[in-house]
Amino acid sequence: MSVNSIQLLTPQHWEDYELIDCGDFEKLERFGNMILIRPEPQAVWPKGLPEAEWTRRHDIRFKGRSATSGDWHKKRPGLPDRWHVSYRNNDVAVKFRLGLTSFKHVGIFPEQAVNWDYVADTIRAFQTKQPKVLNLFAYTGGASLVARAAGADTTHVDSIKQVVTWANENQELSGLSNIRWVVEDALKFVKRELKRGNRYHGIILDPPAYGHGPKGEKWKLEDHIAEMMRDVVGLLDPNEHFLILNTYSLGFSSVIVENLIKSAMPTVQNLETGELYLQATAGSKLPLGVFGKFRTVG
């Protein structure tokens, strides 16, 4: 009997990012030379470091005003609202512009570097000279940049024009070009690509729990993800392909992701499932979503 082991994966190549500590519903983290304190609903355990150490070390702290917005408090004047960080693995190097947004995000999700490594490694292993990669719910483009840097013809789809503009800034910072930018509801885009008969060698999905398309389309993960998975597997090149499904939702487990993928593609091979986490220097592991991924290399 075949038994799938559930993987626990954390990034291995981050020099410009460090999770210093987490606990009491907060995280202390370094992005480049800036140290931030941000809310973290998963960190239900006590902090590893004393509160005085958090106060001493941080530069900027986010304090929420509501469930979806808040304000940044800088320890001293002159600290920037925007700055740059780099990511480099064995295959590619990219850069990001970070910024202090009103909903506590800064422009990257550091745990996704695990998936970026998988993308770059798979593209390098393909026999296809310039594989086509589709990044859905693509945000500020971390996976898009990595796919393009690895040599893929890359399409980036997100429903929010401002974050697509941000992703384009990251492309320029990284010295890349020719990513195809699409501002559209992801499910609508996929259905149109199916009708056109288009195929991709790689598909990356990192859907939110809730979201809205540019024309008010509603996305709710548990209501729409099965339909999305049924559709996207129809876009995969039959000979060489990879797919990554990543979800950050408190109600989703890696077993759910496994079932979704196997239901959409019963013949799937080389399926891996598990959980992403960030390892705090102070000792704790911070869980940050579950994934399922598979690939077939010619």
Side-chain angles (χ1 to χ4, degrees):
M1 183 176 68
S2 174
V3 177
N4 281 358
S5 60
I6 295 174
Q7 301 177 0
L8 293 175
L9 302 179
T10 193
Q12 302 297 321
H13 301 286
W14 267 117
E15 293 182 5
D16 273 3
Y17 177 80
E18 177 190 4
L19 178 63
I20 300 167
D21 193 18
C22 53
D24 297 322
F25 304 100
E26 289 187 309
K27 53 189 172 186
L28 178 70
E29 50 192 345
R30 176 181 61 80
F31 292 90
N33 57 4
M34 302 288 290
I35 296 180
L36 310 181
I37 297 176
R38 296 192 291 163
E40 179 45 67
Q42 300 265 63
V44 300
W45 51 87
K47 291 173 178 173
L49 299 174
E51 188 67 42
E53 185 70 4
W54 283 53
T55 301
R56 183 186 71 81
R57 294 185 67 168
H58 87 278
D59 297 302
I60 307 173
R61 185 174 209 147
F62 183 91
K63 293 185 178 178
R65 281 184 282 106
S66 70
T68 57
S69 65
D71 304 293
W72 295 92
H73 297 264
K74 297 179 179 180
K75 189 188 283 188
R76 54 191 182 277
L79 289 172
D81 289 331
R82 297 183 175 192
W83 70 104
H84 298 158
V85 296
S86 299
Y87 182 75
R88 178 187 300 273
N89 63 22
N90 297 329
D91 297 300
V92 298
V94 294
K95 290 183 179 179
F96 301 95
R97 188 270 286 174
L98 303 189
L100 305 177
T101 73
S102 62
F103 13 71
K104 80 179 178 182
H105 300 309
V106 295
I108 55 171
F109 295 98
E111 72 281 357
Q112 289 305 309
V114 169
N115 290 330
W116 302 342
D117 294 348
Y118 186 86
V119 168
D121 178 69
T122 305
I123 291 170
R124 296 291 198 203
F126 277 163
Q127 299 299 308
T128 306
K129 292 296 183 190
Q130 192 177 39
K132 292 178 63 179
V133 170
L134 173 61
N135 189 11
L136 298 165
F137 310 98
Y139 192 48
T140 56
S144 302
L145 300 180
V146 168
R148 186 73 192 96
D153 176 356
T154 304
T155 299
H156 172 113
V157 180
D158 198 279
S159 64
I160 302 172
K161 186 177 181 180
Q162 294 95 316
V163 298
V164 174
T165 300
W166 193 339
N168 192 24
E169 288 182 55
N170 289 335
Q171 175 182 238
E172 293 173 4
L173 263 181
S174 300
L176 300 169
S177 60
N178 297 322
I179 293 175
R180 179 189 178 202
W181 308 111
V182 179
V183 180
E184 191 171 356
D185 176 76
L187 191 52
K188 277 188 175 178
F189 179 83
V190 166
K191 289 183 182 298
R192 198 169 70 248
E193 290 292 89
L194 277 173
K195 287 181 180 177
R196 289 173 171 169
N198 287 336
R199 293 289 181 269
Y200 293 88
H201 299 90
I203 298 178
I204 303 146
L205 305 99
D206 191 8
Y210 302 96
H212 291 90
K215 296 181 180 177
E217 302 94 340
K218 291 185 179 179
W219 169 269
K220 189 175 181 183
L221 184 64
E222 57 266 40
D223 291 347
H224 296 109
I225 189 60
E227 179 184 3
M228 173 65 89
M229 290 305 299
R230 284 195 305 269
D231 288 346
V232 295
V233 297
L235 294 178
L236 286 173
D237 180 272
N239 299 316
E240 282 198 313
H241 56 249
F242 74 84
L243 184 142
I244 299 172
L245 171 62
N246 190 88
T247 71
Y248 179 83
S249 174
L250 297 183
F252 267 53
S253 71
S254 58
V255 174
I256 289 176
V257 169
E258 178 183 348
N259 291 338
L260 280 166
I261 292 173
K262 286 184 173 179
S263 295
M265 194 172 185
T267 59
V268 64
Q269 295 180 337
N270 305 314
L271 176 61
E272 302 173 52
T273 60
E275 189 166 348
L276 301 183
Y277 71 95
L278 292 172
Q279 178 64 60
T281 310
S284 297
K285 290 180 171 67
L286 177 62
L288 287 165
V290 297
F291 68 87
K293 59 190 181 185
F294 60 86
R295 59 185 171 189
T296 296
V297 177

